[in-house]
Amino acid sequence: HKHQKGLKELTIADNNGFIVAPIVVKPVNNHDTTLLPEALENLSDVAWLGGIDLSMSYLTLDSGFDSEYNERVIEMYQIEPVIKPNPRGTKNWKKLLATQENFRQDIYKERYKIERVFAWADTYRKLVIRYETLECTHNGFKYLAYSMINLRVFFRGNVGKL
């Protein structure tokens, strides 16, 4: 098993394409699930500071986050999890149907808006290829790029043009 180098991040964005919570960074060999509790805590803090009620909102995640533990962690913040079911090699069609039963496809189809934010971040060359040796410098450039993404509304017009 090869040693993996690098960092993994979890960033939370809203449907308008704004980064709404500080990024959480861990070594790349950690599973995505280890990032989720800290990211939700950051989101909760930002929402509290901004006077935003998160209850009855949705959090869409890809199939890498599909677990009962993650769903419970998200529900602790009164947020409804919308996680794409991961079949995990299940050949029993009854189990596959059961996992799809509660999945909110109508909400999950809006996930492209979140993926678009990450594509915008990839337009910054300093972030695509990591030139910095210090993690704090790289994270600083991430924050700068995310700030520029959030401020694009002031430079291009209103939010409806996103």
Side-chain angles (χ1 to χ4, degrees), residues 94-151:
K94 288 182 182 179
K95 285 185 180 179
L96 287 173
L97 287 176
T99 60
Q100 295 285 342
E101 186 176 296
N102 295 328
F103 178 59
R104 298 284 311 265
Q105 182 68 33
D106 57 324
I107 302 295
Y108 193 80
K109 71 177 183 176
E110 300 293 318
R111 184 165 168 77
Y112 77 91
K113 296 174 182 177
I114 306 307
E115 297 297 337
R116 182 178 57 195
V117 173
F118 302 134
W120 284 333
D122 286 345
T123 62
Y124 297 97
R125 287 183 53 200
K126 280 282 221 190
L127 301 179
V128 176
I129 299 173
R130 183 172 170 170
Y131 297 104
E132 291 74 32
T133 55
L134 296 177
E135 180 182 338
C136 62
T137 306
H138 183 70
N139 287 343
F141 280 118
K142 283 262 189 205
Y143 281 118
L144 180 61
Y146 289 158
S147 297
M148 291 172 67
I149 288 170
N150 284 349
L151 292 173

Side-chain angles (χ1 to χ4, degrees), residues 37-106:
E38 187 178 345
L40 287 172
E41 184 65 33
N42 291 345
L43 175 63
S44 176
D45 291 346
V46 169
W48 182 80
L49 289 171
I52 300 168
D53 182 18
L54 292 176
S55 63
M56 303 308 294
S57 57
Y58 299 99
L59 181 65
T60 60
L61 298 166
D62 62 17
S63 57
F65 291 92
D66 183 25
S67 73
E68 290 180 20
Y69 169 77
N70 287 339
E71 289 181 10
R72 281 187 306 219
V73 168
I74 296 168
E75 289 169 349
M76 281 183 356
Y77 291 92
Q78 298 177 345
I79 300 173
E80 185 175 332
V82 180
I83 303 172
K84 187 165 181 74
N86 186 348
R88 292 185 186 86
T90 304
K91 302 210 184 321
N92 184 341
W93 64 272
K94 288 182 182 179
K95 285 185 180 179
L96 287 173
L97 287 176
T99 60
Q100 295 285 342
E101 186 176 296
N102 295 328
F103 178 59
R104 298 284 311 265
Q105 182 68 33
D106 57 324

